[in-house]
Amino acid sequence: MTVTFRVVDRAEARDPHLRDELLGTWVAVTDAGGSVGFVAPAPIAEIAAAIDLALARVADGRDRLGVLVADDGAVVGLGLLVGRGPAIFDHWRTVLRVMVHPDHQGRGAGRTLVEGLHDAGRSLGLEHLQLTVRGGEGLEAFCARFGYEVVGLHPGAVRVAPGDDRDELMLVARLA
């Protein structure tokens, strides 16, 4: 099954069906051990609140949401381009919540998602993108394939469980 990337428009960000599909993907990724802001078992109410906040920011034009759509029309991946605020930061965005449903991993969907987010960034005139990853997951190697370089480290920033602290790595990719 193939997937395609598209950017969600402001009106669609208010669609409850889209919200439900995003929730299903985020819960599945969390329960599969993905580094997407939560740990398994997925705290559904907290994830739903995070989705609501993200969709509100997309609906009011502050952020952009890119999604992966499967052949059957289901949303199976997502990523956000999040603005920082003042005009002095308008030349870059933070990439958040990059995830692909476990049923679609390992077949190039992640590449389609990241390349789509980079194209969306270029269409906004952005010069670079910044993202963070949880250390110990091997995500730096995946990101390096798209030009990301580690520019910072926050030791012990992520507490997965008591006694299980992970570093947070900051990466940047130039788009221009």
Side-chain angles (χ1 to χ4, degrees), residues 12-36:
E12 186 186 4
R14 293 177 172 81
D15 180 357
H17 179 70
L18 173 65
R19 179 193 183 272
D20 291 345
E21 289 193 320
L22 296 174
L23 180 60
T25 293
W26 200 332
V27 166
V29 171
T30 299
D31 283 342
S35 300
V36 290

Side-chain angles (χ1 to χ4, degrees), residues 94-120:
T94 298
V95 180
L96 288 179
R97 309 302 183 217
V98 175
M99 66 186 82
V100 174
H101 192 286
D103 293 345
H104 294 269
Q105 292 177 4
R107 293 178 281 183
R111 171 174 292 283
T112 299
L113 179 58
V114 173
E115 289 174 349
L117 290 168
H118 283 209
D119 288 345

Side-chain angles (χ1 to χ4, degrees), residues 45-69:
E46 291 177 46
I47 293 172
I51 290 170
D52 291 342
L53 179 61
L55 288 173
R57 290 179 57 93
V58 171
D60 71 16
R62 287 184 283 173
D63 298 337
R64 298 293 187 278
L65 169 64
V67 295
L68 289 179
V69 181

Side-chain angles (χ1 to χ4, degrees), residues 127-164:
E127 296 172 21
H128 56 91
L129 297 174
Q130 178 261 327
L131 60 80
T132 60
V133 298
R134 182 185 305 168
E137 304 287 333
L139 297 170
E140 311 89 288
F142 174 78
C143 295
R145 291 187 274 178
F146 304 99
Y148 285 92
E149 296 179 22
V150 176
V151 297
L153 170 74
H154 183 159
V158 180
R159 180 156 292 153
V160 177
D164 186 5

Side-chain angles (χ1 to χ4, degrees), residues 82-84 88-94 125-130:
V82 177
R84 183 145 177 210
I88 61 172
F89 300 113
D90 282 350
H91 61 290
W92 67 278
R93 295 287 184 279
T94 298
L126 302 179
E127 296 172 21
H128 56 91
L129 297 174
Q130 178 261 327

